[in-house]
Amino acid sequence: MDPTRKLLKVFGVKVTDYEAKTEALLAGLAAQPNLDHTAVVREVVELTADLDRWLREIQNHVLERQERVLSRLFEGTAHG
């Protein structure tokens, strides 16, 4: 599997895991108002930070590909 497809697959799994886990945490808070909010907030922050890291990986990957394409495209025009 090429790096782009692999990275997108991992990112897709991370997004769906984030959605499922945070939805369950929010549902738990709604169902149990006396639940420790601090622990839930901590877990949501950790999940969000992890998803943000993977989003940056995707963004960097795309930007690197774009830069590579544009560099190759304009290599020939700088001299011609």
Side-chain angles (χ1 to χ4, degrees):
M1 183 179 300
D2 70 73
T4 299
R5 290 180 197 276
K6 183 177 180 181
L7 189 56
L8 288 170
K9 183 176 180 180
V10 170
F11 183 67
V13 170
K14 290 289 183 176
V15 171
T16 55
D17 283 352
Y18 178 84
E19 290 172 334
K21 289 175 181 177
T22 55
E23 190 60 38
L25 289 166
L26 293 173
L29 279 178
Q32 301 174 27
N34 295 330
L35 197 63
D36 180 14
H37 280 66
T38 304
V40 173
V41 167
R42 186 178 302 117
E43 189 165 353
V44 169
V45 167
E46 287 174 13
L47 290 167
T48 301
D50 183 57
L51 185 59
D52 287 348
R53 184 179 73 80
W54 283 101
L55 178 57
R56 281 190 303 277
E57 288 286 328
I58 289 288
Q59 289 172 325
N60 289 337
H61 182 79
V62 170
L63 291 171
E64 287 170 6
R65 269 47 186 183
Q66 290 173 333
E67 182 179 354
R68 186 181 316 148
V69 168
L70 293 173
S71 293
R72 289 179 62 191
L73 177 65
F74 292 107
E75 280 174 0
T77 60
H79 303 291

Short mmCIF file of all heavy atoms in Angstrom, two decimals, residues 6-30:
data_model
loop_
_atom_site.label_atom_id
_atom_site.label_comp_id
_atom_site.label_asym_id
_atom_site.label_seq_id
_atom_site.Cartn_x
_atom_site.Cartn_y
_atom_site.Cartn_z
N LYS A 6 -2.10 4.53 3.00
CA LYS A 6 -1.89 4.04 4.37
C LYS A 6 -2.21 5.14 5.38
O LYS A 6 -2.92 4.91 6.36
CB LYS A 6 -0.46 3.55 4.54
CG LYS A 6 -0.18 2.96 5.88
CD LYS A 6 1.24 2.43 5.96
CE LYS A 6 1.50 1.84 7.33
NZ LYS A 6 2.86 1.34 7.45
N LEU A 7 -1.69 6.33 5.12
CA LEU A 7 -1.93 7.46 6.03
C LEU A 7 -3.41 7.82 6.08
O LEU A 7 -3.96 8.07 7.16
CB LEU A 7 -1.09 8.66 5.58
CG LEU A 7 -1.03 9.85 6.50
CD1 LEU A 7 -0.54 9.47 7.89
CD2 LEU A 7 -0.13 10.92 5.90
N LEU A 8 -4.07 7.83 4.94
CA LEU A 8 -5.50 8.14 4.91
C LEU A 8 -6.32 7.08 5.64
O LEU A 8 -7.29 7.40 6.33
CB LEU A 8 -5.99 8.30 3.47
CG LEU A 8 -5.53 9.58 2.77
CD1 LEU A 8 -5.86 9.51 1.29
CD2 LEU A 8 -6.15 10.81 3.42
N LYS A 9 -5.92 5.83 5.51
CA LYS A 9 -6.62 4.75 6.20
C LYS A 9 -6.48 4.91 7.72
O LYS A 9 -7.48 4.83 8.45
CB LYS A 9 -6.07 3.39 5.76
CG LYS A 9 -6.78 2.22 6.38
CD LYS A 9 -6.25 0.91 5.84
CE LYS A 9 -6.99 -0.26 6.47
NZ LYS A 9 -6.52 -1.54 5.98
N VAL A 10 -5.27 5.18 8.18
CA VAL A 10 -5.04 5.38 9.61
C VAL A 10 -5.85 6.58 10.10
O VAL A 10 -6.50 6.52 11.14
CB VAL A 10 -3.54 5.57 9.92
CG1 VAL A 10 -3.32 6.03 11.35
CG2 VAL A 10 -2.78 4.27 9.65
N PHE A 11 -5.81 7.67 9.33
CA PHE A 11 -6.54 8.87 9.71
C PHE A 11 -8.04 8.60 9.78
O PHE A 11 -8.72 9.03 10.71
CB PHE A 11 -6.24 10.01 8.74
CG PHE A 11 -6.91 11.30 9.13
CD1 PHE A 11 -6.54 11.97 10.28
CD2 PHE A 11 -7.91 11.84 8.34
CE1 PHE A 11 -7.16 13.17 10.64
CE2 PHE A 11 -8.53 13.03 8.68
CZ PHE A 11 -8.16 13.69 9.83
N GLY A 12 -8.57 7.87 8.81
CA GLY A 12 -9.99 7.53 8.82
C GLY A 12 -10.38 6.75 10.06
O GLY A 12 -11.42 7.02 10.68
N VAL A 13 -9.55 5.81 10.44
CA VAL A 13 -9.80 5.03 11.66
C VAL A 13 -9.75 5.94 12.89
O VAL A 13 -10.59 5.84 13.79
CB VAL A 13 -8.80 3.86 11.79
CG1 VAL A 13 -8.89 3.20 13.15
CG2 VAL A 13 -9.03 2.84 10.67
N LYS A 14 -8.77 6.84 12.92
CA LYS A 14 -8.65 7.76 14.05
C LYS A 14 -9.89 8.65 14.18
O LYS A 14 -10.38 8.88 15.29
CB LYS A 14 -7.40 8.64 13.90
CG LYS A 14 -6.10 7.90 14.08
CD LYS A 14 -5.90 7.51 15.52
CE LYS A 14 -4.58 6.82 15.72
NZ LYS A 14 -4.33 6.51 17.13
N VAL A 15 -10.39 9.14 13.06
CA VAL A 15 -11.58 10.00 13.10
C VAL A 15 -12.79 9.23 13.60
O VAL A 15 -13.52 9.71 14.47
CB VAL A 15 -11.86 10.64 11.72
CG1 VAL A 15 -13.21 11.35 11.70
CG2 VAL A 15 -10.75 11.59 11.33
N THR A 16 -13.01 8.04 13.06
CA THR A 16 -14.19 7.28 13.49
C THR A 16 -14.06 6.83 14.94
O THR A 16 -15.07 6.83 15.67
CB THR A 16 -14.45 6.07 12.56
OG1 THR A 16 -13.28 5.26 12.49
CG2 THR A 16 -14.85 6.53 11.17
N ASP A 17 -12.86 6.49 15.39
CA ASP A 17 -12.65 6.16 16.80
C ASP A 17 -12.93 7.37 17.68
O ASP A 17 -13.57 7.25 18.74
CB ASP A 17 -11.21 5.68 17.06
CG ASP A 17 -10.97 4.26 16.61
OD1 ASP A 17 -11.94 3.56 16.23
OD2 ASP A 17 -9.80 3.83 16.63
N TYR A 18 -12.44 8.53 17.24
CA TYR A 18 -12.67 9.76 18.00
C TYR A 18 -14.18 10.02 18.13
O TYR A 18 -14.67 10.32 19.22
CB TYR A 18 -11.99 10.93 17.29
CG TYR A 18 -12.21 12.26 17.97
CD1 TYR A 18 -11.40 12.66 19.03
CD2 TYR A 18 -13.22 13.13 17.56
CE1 TYR A 18 -11.59 13.87 19.66
CE2 TYR A 18 -13.42 14.34 18.18
CZ TYR A 18 -12.60 14.71 19.23
OH TYR A 18 -12.81 15.91 19.86
N GLU A 19 -14.88 9.90 17.02
CA GLU A 19 -16.33 10.14 17.05
C GLU A 19 -17.02 9.18 18.01
O GLU A 19 -17.85 9.60 18.83
CB GLU A 19 -16.91 9.99 15.65
CG GLU A 19 -16.51 11.10 14.71
CD GLU A 19 -16.95 10.84 13.28
OE1 GLU A 19 -17.13 9.67 12.87
OE2 GLU A 19 -17.12 11.83 12.55
N ALA A 20 -16.69 7.91 17.91
CA ALA A 20 -17.35 6.91 18.76
C ALA A 20 -17.01 7.10 20.23
O ALA A 20 -17.91 7.07 21.09
CB ALA A 20 -16.96 5.51 18.31
N LYS A 21 -15.74 7.31 20.53
CA LYS A 21 -15.32 7.44 21.93
C LYS A 21 -15.85 8.72 22.57
O LYS A 21 -16.31 8.69 23.71
CB LYS A 21 -13.80 7.36 22.04
CG LYS A 21 -13.27 5.98 21.76
CD LYS A 21 -11.75 5.94 21.76
CE LYS A 21 -11.25 4.54 21.45
NZ LYS A 21 -9.78 4.48 21.38
N THR A 22 -15.78 9.83 21.84
CA THR A 22 -16.26 11.08 22.44
C THR A 22 -17.78 11.08 22.58
O THR A 22 -18.31 11.60 23.57
CB THR A 22 -15.80 12.32 21.64
OG1 THR A 22 -16.19 12.20 20.28
CG2 THR A 22 -14.28 12.50 21.75
N GLU A 23 -18.46 10.46 21.63
CA GLU A 23 -19.93 10.36 21.75
C GLU A 23 -20.31 9.53 22.97
O GLU A 23 -21.23 9.88 23.71
CB GLU A 23 -20.52 9.76 20.48
CG GLU A 23 -22.02 9.84 20.40
CD GLU A 23 -22.56 11.27 20.45
OE1 GLU A 23 -21.94 12.17 19.87
OE2 GLU A 23 -23.61 11.47 21.09
N ALA A 24 -19.57 8.44 23.20
CA ALA A 24 -19.84 7.60 24.38
C ALA A 24 -19.55 8.36 25.67
O ALA A 24 -20.31 8.25 26.64
CB ALA A 24 -19.00 6.33 24.31
N LEU A 25 -18.48 9.13 25.68
CA LEU A 25 -18.16 9.91 26.87
C LEU A 25 -19.22 10.97 27.15
O LEU A 25 -19.63 11.15 28.30
CB LEU A 25 -16.78 10.56 26.71
CG LEU A 25 -15.59 9.61 26.77
CD1 LEU A 25 -14.33 10.29 26.26
CD2 LEU A 25 -15.39 9.10 28.20
N LEU A 26 -19.66 11.66 26.10
CA LEU A 26 -20.71 12.67 26.28
C LEU A 26 -22.03 12.04 26.71
O LEU A 26 -22.75 12.59 27.55
CB LEU A 26 -20.89 13.47 24.99
CG LEU A 26 -19.71 14.35 24.58
CD1 LEU A 26 -19.95 14.96 23.20
CD2 LEU A 26 -19.46 15.43 25.62
N ALA A 27 -22.34 10.89 26.16
CA ALA A 27 -23.56 10.18 26.55
C ALA A 27 -23.47 9.74 28.02
O ALA A 27 -24.47 9.81 28.76
CB ALA A 27 -23.79 8.97 25.65
N GLY A 28 -22.29 9.33 28.42
CA GLY A 28 -22.08 8.94 29.82
C GLY A 28 -22.30 10.11 30.76
O GLY A 28 -22.91 9.96 31.82
N LEU A 29 -21.82 11.27 30.37
CA LEU A 29 -22.05 12.47 31.19
C LEU A 29 -23.53 12.82 31.27
O LEU A 29 -24.04 13.20 32.32
CB LEU A 29 -21.29 13.66 30.61
CG LEU A 29 -19.82 13.78 30.94
CD1 LEU A 29 -19.21 15.00 30.23
CD2 LEU A 29 -19.58 13.88 32.44
N ALA A 30 -24.23 12.70 30.15
CA ALA A 30 -25.66 13.02 30.13
C ALA A 30 -26.46 12.03 30.98
O ALA A 30 -27.41 12.42 31.66
CB ALA A 30 -26.18 13.02 28.69
#
